Amino acid sequence: PLAPIHLDTDRYSSGISRFYAATWVDNSDRPAAFEDITSGDQRISTSGLVITEDHVRSFRDLIKSSSKWYALKDAAGASLVPVDFAVVAASSNILHVTSSSLFAGGQLNVIQLFNRVRLVGGSGVLAVGDRIRSDLVVNEVINLPIGRQVSMSCTCYSNDQPVAVVECALVSLGNPASHDMTFRNVSDQRFTVVLKSAAEITALETKVWFNYLDNLDVCLLPLGELEFHIDSKYRFLSDSAYSSISTTGQIFLKRQRGKPVHIANVDFQWGEAAADPVVEYLERHSVGSNTALFDDGGYYVVPRAGESQVTTFAPDSNVATARITGDYNPIHTNPYVADIAGLPDTITH
């Protein structure tokens, strides 16, 4: 050749990100200009979404369901909204991350591992008329054998009260991340530990990361039950080793009556390591819990008393779902993009 062929990777990645954002966002009448996301320390927030009757009606019409459970009303007479609507509230924030530098131009090879919705708080369910705000954080960017995985969680608030958390994980196939940008943040880990002997108590008290609160008159006894609330931040040196570890949290002593007492803190800061000794200790010594996943026992996915059957239909096209949810990811609607991503066809939301 007369001259070598050069590829400006930064310009290429930026162009792919702009194309991806335009493909997703312009179709939904929202601006495609996003502030770039380059680390897990940035929080993304959106507000102003008000749930309408059209949202509920469109969802019900889409799945062709005449079930009375999609027409329930609250005590004030407002129509209740399927919990799946939390994904609609989170979709703009998820798109913001997907269009960012965290994917380094690998958006055309993105596949979604999962969307998961869990209820939080005690404010009840979503209803027509609620004003929704959502806050998203990126929990991790890690390398898998098939590419980079980006995981995030988005908390949805109804009238400033937390209602649901949408958890999402995406993989950019064949697009590993450099180790200096990989990380994992794990929040609100809960462990219950029962120390069976004086020797086990002494072993815990001598850990460098265990720190009693000042001026606290407490004496741990065998069979005492401790509850650990832990947050961890990891930065990676390689796919299997950390360049830094920060694990902090609080330790509570459970009592037979009354609330647990805050007796100590966890503070562990370390450089290069293969594992987190704090979490390893807690995983070895933690005991099972009988706490139910849902305080109210969960919800039914099969017909309940008074309803003989519930019938739903998979749509012939994903376009209607994209319009309702705001998820215009072209792998759902465009067979050519799905083919580029290595999928046999467009995949259903």
Side-chain angles (χ1 to χ4, degrees):
L2 296 178
I5 298 173
H6 293 277
L7 174 64
D8 185 335
T9 55
D10 290 340
R11 185 177 179 183
Y12 173 80
S13 298
S14 177
I16 292 294
S17 296
R18 289 196 303 271
F19 167 78
Y20 204 69
T23 304
W24 275 36
V25 184
D26 284 355
N27 289 335
S28 56
D29 300 322
R30 290 197 294 263
F34 285 138
E35 176 188 357
D36 196 16
I37 305 298
T38 58
S39 75
D41 299 324
Q42 295 167 263
R43 183 177 294 270
I44 309 163
S45 299
T46 56
S47 60
L49 174 64
V50 178
I51 304 177
T52 67
E53 289 282 0
D54 284 342
H55 288 130
V56 181
R57 187 181 306 109
S58 297
F59 183 86
R60 186 172 61 240
D61 292 345
L62 174 69
I63 64 174
K64 298 180 175 63
S65 176
S66 59
S67 170
K68 65 182 180 182
W69 303 110
Y70 285 103
L72 294 177
K73 297 183 181 295
D74 62 13
S79 297
L80 298 182
V81 178
V83 70
D84 310 63
F85 192 82
V87 176
V88 179
S91 62
S92 178
N93 288 345
I94 294 173
L95 170 61
H96 190 152
V97 174
T98 313
S99 302
S100 73
S101 295
L102 291 181
F103 283 87
Q107 286 88 349
L108 293 182
N109 290 321
V110 166
I111 61 172
Q112 191 162 15
L113 292 185
F114 63 81
N115 266 346
R116 187 162 52 217
V117 181
R118 56 185 176 88
L119 303 179
V120 296
S123 59
V125 295
L126 296 172
V128 168
D130 286 354
R131 182 175 295 274
I132 305 300
R133 172 173 62 88
S134 58
D135 293 337
L136 182 144
V137 293
V138 179
N139 298 322
E140 65 179 7
V141 176
I142 60 173
N143 284 327
L144 302 177
I146 59 173
R148 79 176 65 188
Q149 175 176 317
V150 179
S151 303
M152 59 200 90
S153 59
C154 187
T155 303
C156 298
Y157 298 83
S158 172
N159 305 320
D160 292 326
Q161 296 297 318
V163 174
V165 174
V166 178
E167 297 171 332
C168 173
L170 304 167
V171 173
S172 182
L173 298 174
N175 182 31
S178 60
H179 293 121
D180 60 353
M181 71 172 295
T182 54
F183 65 89
R184 173 180 286 139
N185 298 333
V186 188
S187 301
D188 198 26
Q189 303 169 88
R190 301 292 179 98
F191 299 92
T192 299
V193 173
V194 176
L195 302 174
K196 300 178 182 179
S197 66
E200 290 188 359
I201 294 173
T202 301
L204 173 62
E205 292 175 332
T206 56
K207 300 293 185 185
V208 295
W209 45 263
F210 181 93
N211 303 289
Y212 277 117
L213 297 183
D214 295 335
N215 304 317
L216 183 68
D217 185 17
V218 64
C219 180
L220 294 180
L221 299 174
L223 300 182
E225 192 169 335
L226 299 177
E227 188 175 276
F228 290 73
H229 297 189
I230 302 296
D231 296 328
S232 299
K233 294 184 177 181
Y234 306 105
R235 298 297 179 268
F236 286 88
L237 179 66
S238 67
D239 291 349
S240 58
Y242 302 120
S243 61
S244 67
I245 298 173
S246 173
T247 294
T248 58
Q250 298 176 317
I251 305 172
F252 297 86
L253 176 63
K254 290 187 176 182
R255 300 183 297 179
Q256 290 184 344
R257 295 181 180 179
K259 295 182 178 180
V261 179
H262 181 198
I263 64 166
N265 289 327
V266 171
D267 188 359
F268 180 76
Q269 311 295 326
W270 203 256
E272 295 182 11
D276 182 346
V278 179
V279 174
E280 281 195 337
Y281 170 87
L282 295 175
E283 288 177 342
R284 285 198 311 269
H285 292 84
S286 63
V287 297
S289 172
N290 293 323
T291 303
L293 184 60
F294 298 102
D295 292 337
D296 62 357
Y299 61 90
Y300 287 87
V301 294
V302 295
R304 299 172 68 174
E307 187 169 80
S308 60
Q309 65 179 5
V310 175
T311 303
T312 60
F313 299 87
D316 296 328
S317 167
N318 296 322
V319 174
T321 306
R323 290 171 179 162
I324 292 171
T325 63
D327 184 354
Y328 282 90
N329 184 342
I331 64 173
H332 297 306
T333 58
N334 190 314
Y336 299 104
V337 174
D339 182 66
I340 292 174
L343 301 169
D345 202 341
T346 55
I347 58 175
T348 301
H349 292 71

